[in-house]
């Protein structure tokens, strides 16, 4: 087989086959336009028909949550496992700003490469997340509290992460079951 030399992505010399099949593609990327994404989200996750009207046959649950999660993934390019690992304290706050995108850090434990990295998410996606947190999620928590679903047995303990500090936010401030706040390495 005949080979030729090419430069790799980091500048190194690589040997590759000189000829390739005519039907071979260098990549097979399919792009989803923002308009097509919104249609998919509204029909598939929020229960609308293709004309933008609520589908009366829709029996979905958690529409706000699922659409907000999907918006974050679409606008940031995060993987599902990365977006699903985010705590509310890791989601950028919506400060009074005219910014279109906000940045935040994704912990190394959540990434495929096991390297901490910055991600950027659109203001529209953040608005959807915080609208969900402050309405639908809050109502669900209150209903669960009213039904005693947060009552603990003797061997159970709830730890709530309330803040981060230290270099790169690696120290978690946790509220323990007795109300005390303790610091734990994150």
């Amino acid at each position: 087989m005949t080979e030729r030399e090419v430069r790799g992505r980091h500048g190194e010399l690589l040997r590759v086959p000189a000829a390739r099949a005519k039907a071979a593609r260098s990549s097979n990327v399919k792009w989803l336009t923002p308009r097509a994404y919104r249609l998919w989200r509204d029909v598939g996750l929020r229960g609308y028909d293709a004309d933008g009207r609520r589908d009366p046959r829709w029996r979905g649950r958690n529409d706000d949550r699922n659409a907000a999660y999907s918006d974050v993934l679409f606008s940031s390019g995060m993987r599902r496992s990365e977006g699903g690992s985010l705590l509310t304290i890791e989601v950028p706050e919506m400060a009074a700003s005219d910014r279109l995108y906000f940045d935040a850090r994704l912990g190394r434990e959540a990434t495929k490469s096991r390297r901490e990295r910055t991600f950027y998410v659109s203001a529209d996606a953040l608005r959807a997340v915080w609208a969900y947190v402050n309405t639908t999620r809050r109502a669900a928590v209150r209903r669960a509290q009213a039904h005693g679903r947060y009552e603990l047995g003797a061997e159970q303990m709830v730890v709530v992460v309330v803040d981060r500090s230290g270099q790169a936010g690696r120290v978690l401030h946790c509220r323990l079951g007795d109300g005390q706040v303790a610091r734990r390495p994150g």
Side-chain angles (χ1 to χ4, degrees), residues 94-108:
M94 291 292 300
S97 172
D98 58 350
R99 293 169 51 188
L100 297 178
Y101 279 84
F102 291 80
D103 62 313
R105 299 294 293 169
L106 193 58
R108 67 182 183 86

Side-chain angles (χ1 to χ4, degrees), residues 152 156-160 174-181:
L152 299 175
Q156 296 174 315
M157 182 173 86
V158 172
V159 176
V160 178
C174 306
R175 183 175 301 118
L176 305 176
D178 60 4
Q180 294 182 11
V181 175

Side-chain angles (χ1 to χ4, degrees), residues 155-173:
E155 69 284 346
Q156 296 174 315
M157 182 173 86
V158 172
V159 176
V160 178
V161 178
V162 294
D163 199 7
R164 295 182 304 177
S165 66
Q167 184 177 3
R170 293 177 193 235
V171 177
L172 301 178
H173 300 253

Side-chain angles (χ1 to χ4, degrees), residues 30-60:
K30 303 263 192 282
W31 294 99
L32 187 62
T33 65
R35 183 177 180 199
Y37 163 73
R38 285 190 301 272
L39 179 62
W40 172 84
R41 178 201 61 200
D42 291 346
V43 171
L45 299 177
R46 298 181 71 209
Y48 289 86
D49 62 20
D51 296 325
R53 293 186 303 257
R54 195 74 155 145
D55 184 347
R57 297 168 298 165
W58 177 255
R59 297 291 177 256

Side-chain angles (χ1 to χ4, degrees), residues 6-123:
V6 296
R7 292 252 177 231
R9 66 196 293 193
H10 301 294
E12 71 278 13
L13 281 176
L14 302 172
R15 298 200 56 79
V16 297
R20 70 175 206 202
K22 291 185 188 320
R25 290 187 187 181
S26 60
S27 66
N28 195 15
V29 175
K30 303 263 192 282
W31 294 99
L32 187 62
T33 65
R35 183 177 180 199
Y37 163 73
R38 285 190 301 272
L39 179 62
W40 172 84
R41 178 201 61 200
D42 291 346
V43 171
L45 299 177
R46 298 181 71 209
Y48 289 86
D49 62 20
D51 296 325
R53 293 186 303 257
R54 195 74 155 145
D55 184 347
R57 297 168 298 165
W58 177 255
R59 297 291 177 256
R61 294 179 11 170
N62 305 315
D63 306 0
D64 295 341
R65 180 198 66 190
N66 296 344
Y69 173 68
S70 179
D71 287 348
V72 167
L73 297 184
F74 183 76
S75 80
S76 69
M78 278 192 282
R79 293 174 176 85
R80 291 179 309 200
S81 60
E82 294 170 344
S85 74
L86 290 175
L87 302 172
T88 53
I89 65 169
E90 296 173 307
V91 176
E93 289 285 336
M94 291 292 300
S97 172
D98 58 350
R99 293 169 51 188
L100 297 178
Y101 279 84
F102 291 80
D103 62 313
R105 299 294 293 169
L106 193 58
R108 67 182 183 86
E109 292 80 10
T111 65
K112 184 176 178 181
S113 66
R114 295 293 179 225
R115 291 191 185 126
E116 191 173 290
R117 66 180 171 85
T118 300
F119 69 92
Y120 299 89
V121 62
S122 73

